[in-house]
């Protein structure tokens, strides 16, 4: 199959590279010339483990190429995937679809024969119908069909998630789109590595938001149970294991922490709420999740202040991890932002280390003293706070950390260390839900 990917963000670039690795011929299109030029030199615009090697090998094999020229990129395509951003619209939280519709306009105008336009970007229910209207307006005679194929990959594990997904969802309204998508995902169904689920288009659109909202709910649920554990004298990690071993609940996404962040859960839960309001079909559980998660991030800053004796004015606080989760440089809606701002508002001096996130962090945080390692972050600090559970923080020499801190306090917002281990090293330990 010949595939065009519009947008070389996380989803577009990973999907394009993986499709080419399946053996399809893929052209990735992006308006950003500097991005395309960098990709041609095998410089990735994002940090994602394994992506550069995957891109390099498929470019070498002649199956993957990059261009800024959309018309050339879509020429002869069987399917054109739209993988441009759908950020929260300023002011009201709706998904901003202007990039999607803009891209669709250009694609329809440029296509010369039958093809399927597939939305891979996360788009609200009914977007496919809008895309169809654009097709009817700009190129009704071209035999273009419209499908939805939401993506479920996670940052940091994106390639594996794409190649070994739990499922693939394809929302189609006609046989042509169904056949093209079946061919594209044939490598996955051939080795039976994932069920390919065909639904109506609106159903596929809802599946994506429902999945993200459910996962966000699971996290928020265990976070609130963690708060209860703290005051009631229980251990949330054991509670999570105790409930997660029930297959109906499942063990994943029950790690209590400082609240979910990233480019997806915060934006998608909000957009889903707006859709629900528009349809006058309220989602009260999701409303509660969004509010609880927002409040939690600053509450984590206050938790650190409380652990440090209630006053951090003039004190240095060391922060380990800034990105919203490990193995990414993504700072979008990272809990670290609210935590650091709360500490700074209380007069603390913040010193921070993140293995990959510094460059992005510098764009969103002010007055942070960035250092080059975990021990430098602890030096002379009144507390060391683990905000993101990078592997590099899992085997710290806690004795050394203790000797570097002015007050021997470890606040572990990801429950990386068992309290006894920290206490053995002479540290006072404050975790989550313990
Ligand atoms: C999420 C979904 O997991 C993907 O399936 C989806 O495709 C993607 O959004 C998207 O819509 O594009 P992602 O945002 O990359 O993926 O990251 P996750 O691994 O899901 O983590 C999200 C946040 O939840 C992070 O801040 C993480 O620290 C937090 N989290 C996750 C917890 O606090 N506890 C957990 O048990 C799991």
């Amino acid at each position: 199959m010949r595939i065009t990917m519009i947008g070389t963000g996380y989803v577009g670039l990973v999907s394009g590279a993986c499709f080419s690795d399946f053996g399809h011929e893929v052209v990735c299109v992006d308006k950003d010339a500097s991005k395309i030029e960098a990709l041609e030199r095998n410089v990735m615009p994002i940090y994602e483990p394994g992506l550069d090697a995957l891109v390099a090998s498929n470019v070498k094999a002649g199956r993957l190429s990059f261009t800024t020229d959309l018309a050339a990129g879509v020429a002869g395509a069987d399917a054109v995937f739209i993988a441009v951003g759908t950020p929260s619209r300023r002011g009201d939280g709706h998904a901003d679809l202007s990039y999607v519709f803009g891209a669709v306009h250009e694609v329809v105008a440029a296509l010369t024969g039958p093809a399927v336009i597939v939305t891979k970007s996360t788009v609200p229910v009914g977007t496919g119908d809008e895309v169809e209207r654009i097709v009817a307006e700009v190129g009704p005679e071209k035999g273009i069909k419209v499908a939805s194929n939401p993506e479920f990959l996670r940052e940091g594990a994106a390639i594996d998630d794409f190649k070994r997904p739990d499922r693939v969802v394809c929302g189609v309204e006609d046989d042509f789109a169904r056949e093209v998508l079946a061919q594209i995902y044939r490598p996955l169904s051939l080795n039976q590595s994932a069920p390919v689920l065909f639904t109506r288009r609106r159903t596929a659109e809802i599946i994506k938001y429902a999945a993200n909202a459910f996962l966000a709910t699971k996290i928020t649920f265990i976070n609130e149970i963690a708060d209860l554990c703290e005051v009631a004298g229980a251990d949330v990690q054991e509670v999570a294991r105790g409930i997660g071993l029930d297959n109906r609940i499942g063990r994943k996404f029950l790690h209590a922490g400082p609240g979910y962040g990233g480019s997806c859960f915060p934006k998608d839960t909000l957009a889903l709420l707006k859709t629900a309001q528009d349809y006058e079909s309220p989602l009260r559980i999701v409303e509660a999740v969004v509010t609880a998660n927002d409040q939690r991030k600053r509450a984590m800053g206050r938790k650190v202040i409380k652990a440090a004796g209630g006053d951090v004015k003039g004190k240095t606080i060391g922060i380990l991890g800034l990105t919203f989760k490990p193995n990414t440089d993504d700072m979008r809606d990272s809990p670290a932002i609210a935590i650091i701002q709360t500490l700074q508002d209380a007069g603390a001096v913040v010193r921070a280390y993140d293995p990959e996130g510094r460059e992005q962090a510098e764009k969103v945080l002010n007055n942070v003293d960035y250092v080059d390692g975990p021990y430098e972050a602890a030096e002379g600090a009144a507390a060391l706070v683990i905000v993101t559970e990078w592997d590099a923080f899992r085997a710290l020499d806690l004795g050394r950390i203790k000797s570097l801190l002015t007050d021997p306090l470890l606040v572990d917002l990801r429950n990386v260390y068992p309290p006894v281990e920290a206490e053995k090293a002479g540290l006072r330990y404050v975790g989550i839900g313990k």
Side-chain angles (χ1 to χ4, degrees):
M1 287 271 131
R2 190 172 145 74
I3 296 172
T4 310
M5 193 61 66
I6 309 291
T8 58
Y10 237 106
V11 167
L13 185 54
V14 172
S15 308
C18 290
F19 278 145
S20 65
D21 211 46
F22 287 169
H24 300 306
E25 194 187 323
V26 179
V27 184
C28 292
V29 180
D30 203 296
K31 284 202 154 107
D32 184 339
S34 62
K35 222 165 163 187
I36 292 297
E37 183 260 337
L39 280 164
E40 281 171 338
R41 285 184 288 114
N42 203 47
V43 174
M44 300 299 113
I46 47 167
Y47 172 76
E48 179 64 34
L51 186 59
D52 46 1
L54 189 76
V55 168
S57 72
N58 283 289
V59 168
K60 192 165 170 227
R63 290 189 294 262
L64 179 61
S65 60
F66 301 98
T67 181
T68 52
D69 183 347
L70 185 136
V74 302
D78 298 296
V80 181
F81 284 78
I82 308 293
V84 295
T86 54
S88 281
R89 200 161 64 189
R90 217 173 272 251
D92 69 358
H94 271 284
D96 179 352
L97 297 176
S98 54
Y99 302 109
V100 172
F101 295 145
V104 169
H105 261 279
E106 286 184 52
V107 168
V108 178
L111 279 168
T112 50
V116 186
I117 294 182
V118 190
T119 50
K120 210 168 212 352
S121 308
T122 299
V123 291
V125 61
T127 302
D129 302 358
E130 280 300 315
V131 172
E132 224 162 50
R133 264 191 279 278
I134 298 173
V135 172
E137 184 192 312
V138 183
E141 74 293 349
K142 297 184 180 180
I144 297 169
K145 300 296 180 191
V146 179
S148 159
N149 171 224
E151 184 47 57
F152 301 100
L153 61 80
R154 289 163 303 168
E155 294 186 13
I159 294 168
D160 206 51
D161 279 355
F162 192 94
K163 289 186 155 186
R164 277 168 282 278
D166 288 346
R167 79 311 203 180
V168 172
V169 174
C170 299
V172 295
E173 296 292 322
D174 59 277
D175 290 341
F176 176 58
R178 187 189 179 96
E179 189 46 37
V180 167
L181 282 163
Q183 285 297 325
I184 287 173
Y185 283 107
R186 211 168 117 82
L188 287 182
S189 43
L190 270 185
N191 63 13
Q192 296 188 332
S193 60
V196 180
L197 187 69
F198 280 93
T199 67
R200 298 290 296 269
R201 205 169 51 211
R202 282 182 165 248
T203 304
E205 289 168 340
I206 293 248
I207 286 173
K208 171 65 192 183
Y209 280 95
N212 274 4
F214 191 85
L215 293 169
T217 303
K218 217 175 164 187
I219 298 167
T220 307
F221 178 83
I222 201 67
N223 283 343
E224 290 201 322
I225 293 289
D227 292 346
L228 177 63
C229 286
E230 276 176 29
V231 287
D235 182 329
V236 74
Q237 283 181 293
E238 287 174 14
V239 172
R241 191 165 152 74
I243 62 173
L245 284 170
D246 184 330
N247 281 332
R248 291 170 303 174
I249 296 174
R251 293 168 65 172
K252 294 181 180 165
F253 276 65
L254 284 180
H255 300 289
Y260 61 78
S263 60
C264 305
F265 289 171
K267 159 178 86 68
D268 295 348
T269 45
L270 216 55
L272 180 60
L273 287 184
K274 294 295 167 185
T275 302
Q277 277 168 15
D278 287 351
Y279 281 91
E280 290 179 19
S281 177
L283 292 171
R284 295 183 196 90
I285 295 175
V286 184
E287 279 169 22
V289 165
V290 168
T291 310
N293 192 67
D294 273 353
Q295 292 173 357
R296 186 171 187 81
K297 295 178 183 174
R298 274 189 85 85
M300 290 296 114
R302 293 196 297 276
K303 183 183 171 90
V304 174
I305 295 169
K306 190 170 165 217
D311 183 12
V312 290
K313 202 167 183 11
K315 291 183 183 170
T316 298
I317 305 289
I319 302 283
L320 294 187
L322 294 167
T323 51
F324 80 99
K325 67 174 195 175
N327 299 323
T328 173
D329 61 353
D330 201 331
M331 283 296 295
R332 284 176 284 182
D333 273 303
S334 173
I337 300 171
I339 293 169
I340 289 176
Q341 282 166 350
T342 307
L343 291 170
Q344 289 177 332
D345 289 348
V349 176
V350 173
R351 182 180 302 153
Y353 170 65
D354 188 284
E356 296 292 339
R358 176 173 174 169
E359 204 181 312
Q360 297 303 322
E362 280 174 344
K363 295 181 189 163
V364 287
L365 288 164
N366 294 321
N367 301 322
V368 172
D369 174 17
Y370 295 98
V371 290
D372 293 327
Y375 300 103
E376 288 90 327
E379 207 173 334
L384 189 64
V385 186
I386 301 179
V387 178
T388 314
E389 70 281 29
W390 284 90
D391 277 346
F393 305 149
R394 289 187 185 278
L396 295 174
D397 177 346
L398 294 182
R400 186 170 163 206
I401 295 285
K402 186 206 169 237
S403 68
L404 291 166
L405 290 167
T406 55
D407 295 323
L409 172 62
L410 179 65
V411 183
D412 182 359
L413 299 180
R414 297 286 186 171
N415 287 337
V416 171
Y417 289 96
V420 284
E421 202 176 304
E423 281 153 13
K424 232 187 260 168
L427 288 163
R428 197 156 60 78
Y429 179 88
V430 176
I432 292 281
K434 304 219 167 236

